[in-house]
Amino acid sequence: MAQDVAIIGIGLHPFGRHDTLTGRAQGAIALRAALKDAGIGWESVGIAYGGSHDAGNADALCNDLGLTGLPFINVANGCATGGSALASAVAAIRSGSAEFAVAVGFDKHPRGAFNPHPRDWGLPDWYGETGLMLTTQFFALKTRRYMHEHGITEDALVRVAQRAFRNGALNPQAWRRREMSYAEIAESMPVNLPLRQYMFCNPAEGGAALVLCPAEIAKRYHPKPIIVKAAVVRTRHHGSFEVFSPALAAQQAPAPTVTASRAAFEQAGVGARDIDVLQLQDTDSGSEIIHMAENGFCEHGEQERLLRDGETEIGGRLPINTDGGCLANGEPIGASGLRQVIEICTQLRQEAGARQVPGDPRLGYTHVYGAPGVSGVTILQR
Amino acid sequence: MPHPVLASPDLIRFEGDTPHLVGSRCDECGEVYFPATDSCTRCTATRMSPHDVGHRGTLWSWTIQGFLPKAPYNSGETPETFRPYGVGYVEMASGIKVESRLTVADETQLQIGMPLELTLIPYRTTGEGEVFTFAFRPSASA
Ligand SMILES: [Zn+2]
């Protein structure tokens, strides 16, 4: 049995818009906060994995933190950058190649929707030039089909967004801290129907960092270490319905989220029923609904009832995105997956203040999904 | 009648005046691809042949593009002149679903399962005239 790895330090630079700070500066602030939380210095870190999509090489953080000569691996895995950095840091500690490892991410995106270039994704120019290569279109097309197949109505789309902003209002570090009425969301501008303005998250800025070490020594550094029971990344299969697909195969295959989730549950030796608090990728309301079932937390089609009955609220049986998720925090790609892990650590440490889930949460779960079809899942235990 | 100028001529083959989508088919396992590829992601084979994906299908999913996409979208529209356009996946005879612009951008006129046929629409104008791309429009039968 591989040795357990623990998170002993978490640090976040709040997501949002910070005109006077570079993305890297926000990453450095998050990283210093994580090191302080762990009570160790940068010179003790044996290996680091970090990523940023639009704000430069993560390894440039060494110019801020100190040129200690450590191996610093730049990670570039889209929305799964944070999850990939964490999975790599865990593997490094398990292999004994470092005692202290860091996973860090930051970003600073231009305003408005992302504008990917077809060739970077192995796609022909016409796909972008004729207006078919937009992430928002994909989310809408997948959501529309899912609603059709599983009897989900627009009501569920509104309720996901409403809960995100309600939770964001309870989170002092959230970007969007204003609750929104049902009507305000349901009547907001159509962006890509069935998805409307307030059902989408926005590109943003921010930084997030974790410090990890072997679980057996973790209590020397933090009174409440969080054990990483699983950290899994999986890519798409032929036939799964992915972003940036000029066509879909005749026969459908499960999403990478499904395979990542199953592998994580198997590694951790627990099931969906055991999870007390969770984060699901919510680039948009529809994605969160689909991800509830793809990660095994409910049957396909059951989501609407769970949302209506309040089961996904902070006080419910299945508290989802307790910090407001991507919808209320925005998405700095390099940092977003680590923000999810930080929120679960905060909940399991019972330090989430007004948004703390009640009872005695022991097990948490995080999930990211991104282009061109990659998912990262972690299972965390107090 | 001369054929219109296309954003990507390789995608279209004409049968008379009727445009058909051109893809590829795996020589080993028969999987169909659009646009044409030179390898099969299903069985990893690398021997592919050109394949007529057809010109009729049914609407499998749809959305309406409600804002002007950033570059590389090159219609030449501005936020002021932009007109929302329909986008869908269209299920073809082989079962492949092709992502395409739709001629309809009215949510009350779009329904999953409706029969569609291939057409060509102008989506930008250059000094030499209009440039066309493929799109699907409602048809009487599938
Ligand atoms: Zn094949």
Side-chain angles (χ1 to χ4, degrees):
Chain A
M1 167 96 193
Q3 72 165 323
D4 275 336
V5 175
I7 297 169
I8 53 169
I10 58 177
L12 187 78
H13 184 271
F15 293 6
R17 288 280 170 206
H18 310 287
D19 289 340
T20 59
L21 287 175
T22 63
R24 191 182 97 200
Q26 297 173 54
I29 291 167
L31 181 46
R32 287 187 202 281
L35 291 166
K36 188 173 175 216
D37 187 38
I40 67 163
W42 174 241
E43 68 286 350
S44 302
V45 176
I47 193 163
Y49 296 87
S52 130
H53 189 272
D54 283 342
N57 285 335
D59 141 290
L61 284 170
C62 295
N63 296 346
D64 300 297
L65 273 289
L67 299 172
T68 63
L70 90 169
F72 192 116
I73 318 295
N74 287 310
V75 181
N77 224 357
C79 298
T81 294
S84 301
L86 175 57
S88 305
V90 167
I93 293 173
R94 279 197 184 140
S95 73
S97 66
E99 185 150 67
F100 296 103
V102 153
V104 58
F106 56 86
D107 244 315
K108 189 178 182 89
H109 305 294
R111 283 164 206 274
F114 294 113
N115 61 327
H117 290 275
R119 284 181 196 186
D120 294 345
W121 301 88
L123 291 164
D125 288 338
W126 64 262
Y127 187 58
E129 289 170 358
T130 61
L132 298 178
M133 191 174 180
L134 286 95
T135 53
T136 55
Q137 273 174 13
F138 158 75
F139 294 130
L141 290 163
K142 186 163 177 179
T143 297
R144 170 85 64 195
R145 183 68 197 182
Y146 191 88
M147 291 166 78
H148 173 79
E149 283 181 10
H150 300 290
I152 304 281
T153 72
E154 207 175 314
D155 177 67
L157 300 178
V158 177
R159 286 177 193 274
V160 166
Q162 212 184 356
R163 187 236 301 125
F165 296 119
R166 189 157 52 233
N167 290 354
L170 296 173
N171 175 7
Q173 294 188 301
W175 182 21
R176 313 272 188 214
R177 300 206 54 213
R178 185 173 69 83
E179 282 197 51
M180 280 193 207
S181 71
Y182 189 99
E184 201 174 352
I185 297 163
E187 290 159 19
S188 63
M189 191 182 71
V191 172
N192 276 105
L193 286 174
L195 299 172
R196 295 170 178 274
Q197 183 181 5
Y198 296 130
M199 299 171 183
F200 274 109
C201 87
N202 293 103
E205 306 173 19
L210 306 173
V211 179
L212 303 101
C213 76
E216 59 196 22
I217 61 166
K219 282 221 162 152
R220 286 186 226 159
Y221 301 95
H222 198 282
K224 297 176 191 168
I226 304 299
I227 310 297
V228 183
K229 298 301 288 181
V232 172
V233 174
R234 290 288 186 274
T235 60
R236 61 212 173 279
H237 295 274
H238 178 82
S240 57
F241 187 170
E242 304 300 340
V243 62
F244 304 153
S245 298
L248 303 174
Q251 217 161 8
Q252 286 186 266
T257 291
V258 174
T259 43
S261 176
R262 282 182 191 155
F265 279 126
E266 193 175 304
Q267 270 184 31
V270 300
R273 274 163 216 269
D274 302 315
I275 301 297
D276 300 309
V277 55
L278 61 152
Q279 287 272 329
L280 300 177
Q281 179 86 345
D282 59 333
T283 41
D284 57 280
S285 288
S287 290
E288 184 185 305
I289 288 167
I290 295 167
H291 292 150
M292 286 169 70
E294 284 186 347
N295 285 282
F297 290 100
C298 67
E299 297 298 322
H300 292 292
E302 206 187 350
Q303 295 96 327
E304 188 149 336
R305 183 186 63 74
L306 294 174
L307 287 159
R308 202 174 287 161
D309 291 353
E311 302 242 36
T312 70
E313 304 288 330
I314 285 169
R317 181 176 61 83
L318 205 62
I320 297 175
N321 297 342
T322 46
D323 61 349
C326 292
L327 286 168
N329 287 280
E331 191 184 23
I333 289 182
S336 199
L338 298 177
R339 189 262 309 150
Q340 297 182 319
V341 172
I342 287 170
E343 172 63 7
I344 295 298
C345 289
T346 306
Q347 290 283 347
L348 297 180
R349 288 174 174 187
Q350 304 250 25
E351 291 170 355
R355 66 181 193 282
Q356 178 66 49
V357 303
D360 185 23
R362 198 179 73 86
L363 272 172
Y365 184 99
T366 73
H367 158 261
V368 291
Y369 167 81
V374 51
S375 276
V377 168
T378 69
I379 295 177
L380 304 166
Q381 182 185 299
R382 174 174 48 81
Chain B
M1 185 176 101
H3 296 315
V5 177
L6 293 166
S8 180
D10 299 349
L11 303 177
I12 303 294
R13 185 179 68 78
F14 287 93
E15 251 177 41
D17 283 337
T18 308
H20 285 233
L21 292 174
V22 178
S24 59
R25 187 171 176 277
C26 175
D27 288 354
E28 299 293 328
C29 76
E31 188 73 352
V32 173
Y33 292 84
F34 178 83
T37 60
D38 48 22
S39 63
C40 178
T41 57
R42 180 166 179 264
C43 78
T44 73
T46 53
R47 286 191 11 206
M48 312 286 289
S49 300
H51 181 77
D52 183 345
V53 176
H55 74 293
R56 289 184 188 280
T58 56
L59 190 58
W60 189 80
S61 189
W62 60 273
T63 183
I64 294 166
Q65 180 58 37
F67 63 93
L68 176 66
K70 291 182 186 174
Y73 185 57
N74 64 0
S75 72
E77 291 165 288
T78 65
E80 289 70 38
T81 62
F82 175 73
R83 297 214 336 263
Y85 57 88
V87 175
Y89 277 104
V90 181
E91 185 164 13
M92 308 301 286
S94 69
I96 190 176
K97 293 104 185 164
V98 173
E99 188 178 3
S100 172
R101 288 178 67 136
L102 306 172
T103 60
V104 174
D106 174 354
E107 58 181 302
T108 66
Q109 303 294 310
L110 291 166
Q111 211 173 357
I112 288 177
M114 69 190 281
L116 301 168
E117 65 188 6
L118 191 67
T119 183
L120 300 171
I121 55 164
Y123 88 101
R124 69 185 287 231
T125 305
T126 67
E128 274 106 67
E130 287 179 319
V131 180
F132 286 71
T133 188
F134 65 94
F136 278 83
R137 68 180 174 209
S139 83
S141 62

